[in-house]
Amino acid sequence: MKTPEFIPVAHLSKQYRIEETFITELHEKGVLQLKIVEQTYCLHCDSMPVFEKIMRIHDELHINIEGIDVILNLLDKIDELNRQLIKTQNRLRLYE
């Protein structure tokens, strides 16, 4: 494969000892974004932290794909709320 920034799904499935269908189901449900490179599903290297988070949730907590999607959405919401809180605290400091 010519593009090193993409990791083939077959390689990920061997590395993490999971079925390729699990990864493609994550893509089909919109939980993980894959790209077709040279007629092969691949994951962009920038998406590896999300993929590893998904794998930890799946392996350690035994959560299905729908549950993983809910957990990731809630974690994103928490991160957004934390950013808003920090921004609000910084603005409040200006008036103290």
Side-chain angles (χ1 to χ4, degrees), residues 3 6 13 15-17 19 26-27 33 42 46 53 55-56 58 60 62 67 70 72 76 78 87-90 95-96:
T3 54
F6 290 100
S13 69
Q15 183 78 22
Y16 288 88
R17 297 183 184 126
E19 296 289 328
L26 288 168
H27 172 69
Q33 296 299 320
C42 296
D46 292 344
K53 187 183 292 187
M55 293 312 303
R56 282 193 311 273
H58 179 67
E60 295 173 10
H62 306 289
V70 169
L72 291 176
D76 287 343
I78 289 169
K87 183 179 176 183
T88 303
Q89 287 173 336
N90 289 337
Y95 297 107
E96 291 181 335

Side-chain angles (χ1 to χ4, degrees), residues 60-96:
E60 295 173 10
L61 302 175
H62 306 289
I63 305 291
N64 63 13
I65 293 174
E66 291 80 10
I68 291 170
D69 188 29
V70 169
I71 290 169
L72 291 176
N73 287 333
L74 288 172
L75 290 172
D76 287 343
K77 185 68 173 175
I78 289 169
D79 287 341
E80 176 62 28
L81 289 171
N82 280 332
R83 282 192 293 275
Q84 288 178 6
L85 178 61
I86 290 169
K87 183 179 176 183
T88 303
Q89 287 173 336
N90 289 337
R91 290 182 66 200
L92 181 61
R93 284 189 196 117
L94 291 173
Y95 297 107
E96 291 181 335

Side-chain angles (χ1 to χ4, degrees), residues 1-59:
M1 183 161 296
K2 297 177 184 176
T3 54
E5 67 267 4
F6 290 100
I7 304 166
V9 167
H11 178 72
L12 289 171
S13 69
K14 287 179 187 176
Q15 183 78 22
Y16 288 88
R17 297 183 184 126
I18 57 170
E19 296 289 328
E20 287 183 39
T21 55
F22 177 73
I23 300 172
T24 55
E25 282 182 48
L26 288 168
H27 172 69
E28 291 168 0
K29 302 266 183 179
V31 178
L32 188 66
Q33 296 299 320
L34 299 177
K35 184 172 177 144
I36 298 176
V37 177
E38 297 178 9
Q39 300 177 343
T40 304
Y41 275 117
C42 296
L43 180 69
H44 196 276
C45 289
D46 292 344
S47 298
M48 277 305 294
V50 173
F51 178 74
E52 289 175 349
K53 187 183 292 187
I54 289 169
M55 293 312 303
R56 282 193 311 273
I57 292 169
H58 179 67
D59 290 342

